[in-house]
Amino acid sequence: VCIHRVRSCSSIRFIKSKYVCVFDKSALKFSHQQRLFRTSAVSCGQIVQFKLSDIGEGITEVTVKEWYIKEGDSVSQFDSICEVQSDKASVTITSRYDGIIRKLHYNLDEIAYVGKPLVDIEIDASKGVAPEEDVVETPPMSHEEHTHQEIKGHKTLATPAVRRLAMENNIKLSEVVGTGKDNRILKEDILNYLAKQTGAILPPSPKAEIIPPLPKSETVPAAPKDKARKIPVSVSRPIVFSGKDKTEPISGFHKAMVKTMSAALKIPHFGYCDEVDLTQLVQLREELKPVAQIRGVKLSFMPFFIKAASLGLLQYPILNASLDEGCQNVTYKASHNIGVAMDTEQGLIVPNVKNVQVCSVFEIASELNRLQSLGSAGQLGTNDLTGGTFTLSNIGTIGGTYAKPVILPPEVAIGALGKIQVLPRFNGKGEVFKAQIMNVSWSADHRIIDGATMARFSNLWKSYLENPASMLLDLK
């Protein structure tokens, strides 16, 4: 294992008692003259430079947002190494090898380039190295260091989202039994472990049997609303005035916005605005909120807006289409992947709910909850942010009434939703009543969509929301 000093002649005369050695005598060359020689400790592996591979979408550089390992850590195949963020999405990079991390090539918030080394990993030399990886010289490792690495605990397999969930609930991953491949810990394993510890009942999945609404006597009482007008309070932040200009590079999602909006403003936009009476929808949502809450889902107005839009797109498929660069062909999209614009600390992002045409309102709400959680944590993946066919932007959550939305190419239409206001309106008898009014602003690609089509779609979408029961006739 390790030979520090050996004095040899025709036979071995002395071995320093401090070390216990096992070796093959045939590996030693003996001579008739006394000779003193030393052998340094030799590493059992070689170091490969694990390069940042192509993550698609034409991405050439990313920002390192978080390291899940440090120098000296042992990793296994498919273990998470780091999280990087491009101008399109956040991606978790996983290891291709079993080995020991010897060097991190980037610090946090530094730019990493595709094809360049990301980390150096020491692997077992007997297992060989993939031809596309570069082998670098292995520095000597002491016996003590080697032993330390060998006796390190087994690394738990889990995704960053699962690790975050465990951390938030103060759960040690070593105490959770993984049911995934190679004993990988899944989100369900964390939830089941938490349920056993707390005795809580986990909410059913969106595909579970529909739970009937509670009787009126057992419904959860709504929280009393403050009738006084709420005055927005500005967020108090310390103002630092340095007196010097500061220049920062445009990166991340802001860089994507530059590219997308530059291409979007080449499209001739057509605008159309209207107002929607949501009085019946507001009442319906209040009745369904406790039911959704029991099933573990927060129900907002957005799932109704999205589903109504999908029903309208079935009648006007031209709004769920894309136009090629040469403006010669129109592709009608079969799936309704409706995007929802979100304002995050990383900038404007637009994840989309896939296949809305076959989803229920509850399933849309569940998916929105997931996207909003990942968006707040900056962990949305490429699949969540690509493939959109139609977009809704809810500017009303901030306080706007009207907006002029900009189309996200290659889409051909987008809607901006204003805040819901209590305003006086007249009924059919000429009587004044209190109505819940929301304004909507549409933008469409005027090269293939005319004003009449946009107006008819908006009227159909409006009718579904003003009379929510009418949606039942067209739901599938």
Side-chain angles (χ1 to χ4, degrees), residues 213-223 286-294:
L214 297 173
K216 291 185 178 181
S217 59
E218 299 180 5
T219 54
V220 179
E286 287 299 321
E287 295 175 359
L288 296 179
K289 276 176 61 177
V291 180
Q293 190 173 8
I294 292 174

Side-chain angles (χ1 to χ4, degrees), residues 298-314:
K298 180 181 178 181
L299 182 63
S300 64
F301 289 104
M302 203 62 184
F304 297 98
F305 299 153
I306 292 175
K307 189 61 184 180
S310 177
L311 294 175
L313 293 176
L314 292 173

Side-chain angles (χ1 to χ4, degrees), residues 313-364:
L313 293 176
L314 292 173
Q315 302 296 324
Y316 300 95
I318 187 62
L319 296 173
N320 195 61
S322 64
L323 187 65
D324 65 1
E325 294 183 0
C327 300
Q328 300 297 317
N329 300 287
V330 177
T331 302
Y332 293 85
K333 302 293 184 178
S335 298
H336 296 172
N337 300 337
I338 300 183
V340 180
M342 294 183 181
D343 178 37
T344 68
E345 294 181 356
Q346 292 80 28
L348 175 66
I349 56 176
V350 188
N352 58 82
V353 181
K354 299 289 194 293
N355 298 310
V356 176
Q357 76 280 3
V358 294
C359 292
S360 67
V361 172
F362 177 79
E363 290 171 337
I364 297 170

Side-chain angles (χ1 to χ4, degrees), residues 44-270:
C44 65
Q46 60 185 4
I47 291 182
V48 296
Q49 289 186 332
F50 178 57
K51 296 178 180 179
L52 179 61
S53 59
D54 185 6
I55 55 180
E57 299 292 328
I59 297 170
T60 59
E61 61 182 43
V62 295
T63 303
V64 179
K65 303 303 293 183
E66 184 176 358
W67 286 106
Y68 300 117
I69 45 86
K70 60 182 182 296
E71 293 181 1
D73 282 357
S74 295
V75 294
S76 303
Q77 293 186 47
F78 307 112
D79 277 2
S80 299
I81 292 179
C82 65
E83 180 182 339
V84 298
Q85 185 182 84
S86 68
D87 57 357
K88 298 178 185 289
S90 294
V91 180
T92 300
I93 305 298
T94 57
S95 174
R96 291 181 54 193
Y97 306 104
D98 300 331
I100 300 171
I101 301 297
R102 288 302 174 202
K103 182 180 179 181
L104 307 181
H105 285 268
Y106 301 97
N107 296 320
L108 292 180
D109 295 325
E110 286 189 346
I111 302 298
Y113 297 92
V114 172
K116 299 296 182 181
L118 189 64
V119 296
D120 289 351
I121 305 179
E122 181 181 348
I123 64 171
D124 189 347
S126 62
K127 295 183 179 180
V129 185
E132 64 269 18
E133 300 294 345
D134 298 330
V135 180
V136 298
E137 184 179 356
T138 305
M141 184 194 302
S142 67
H143 171 65
E144 289 79 8
E145 184 179 356
H146 175 73
T147 304
H148 173 71
Q149 296 297 341
E150 288 296 327
I151 65 176
K152 284 191 67 172
H154 177 67
K155 189 174 181 66
T156 306
L157 298 179
T159 63
V162 172
R163 293 180 185 275
R164 185 182 297 274
L165 179 62
M167 181 180 65
E168 290 174 352
N169 291 278
N170 296 320
I171 297 175
K172 293 182 179 179
L173 290 177
S174 58
E175 299 177 355
V176 181
V177 178
T179 59
K181 182 180 179 182
D182 298 327
N183 296 323
R184 183 180 295 272
I185 297 177
L186 307 177
K187 178 181 178 182
E188 291 77 9
D189 299 329
I190 298 293
L191 295 177
N192 290 331
Y193 179 86
L194 186 62
K196 291 178 181 178
Q197 296 297 317
T198 61
I201 301 176
L202 296 179
S205 64
K207 298 294 183 181
E209 183 180 358
I210 296 178
I211 302 176
L214 297 173
K216 291 185 178 181
S217 59
E218 299 180 5
T219 54
V220 179
K225 296 183 178 180
D226 186 7
K227 296 183 178 180
R229 184 177 180 181
K230 295 182 179 180
I231 302 176
V233 180
S234 60
V235 179
S236 177
R237 295 181 180 177
I239 300 175
V240 179
F241 181 73
S242 61
K244 295 181 180 179
D245 296 341
K246 183 173 67 173
T247 301
E248 293 180 349
I250 298 176
S251 60
F253 294 134
H254 293 285
K255 195 170 186 178
M257 188 186 301
V258 172
K259 297 178 182 178
T260 304
M261 293 299 101
S262 297
L265 292 180
K266 297 178 182 179
I267 299 173
H269 283 54
F270 166 78

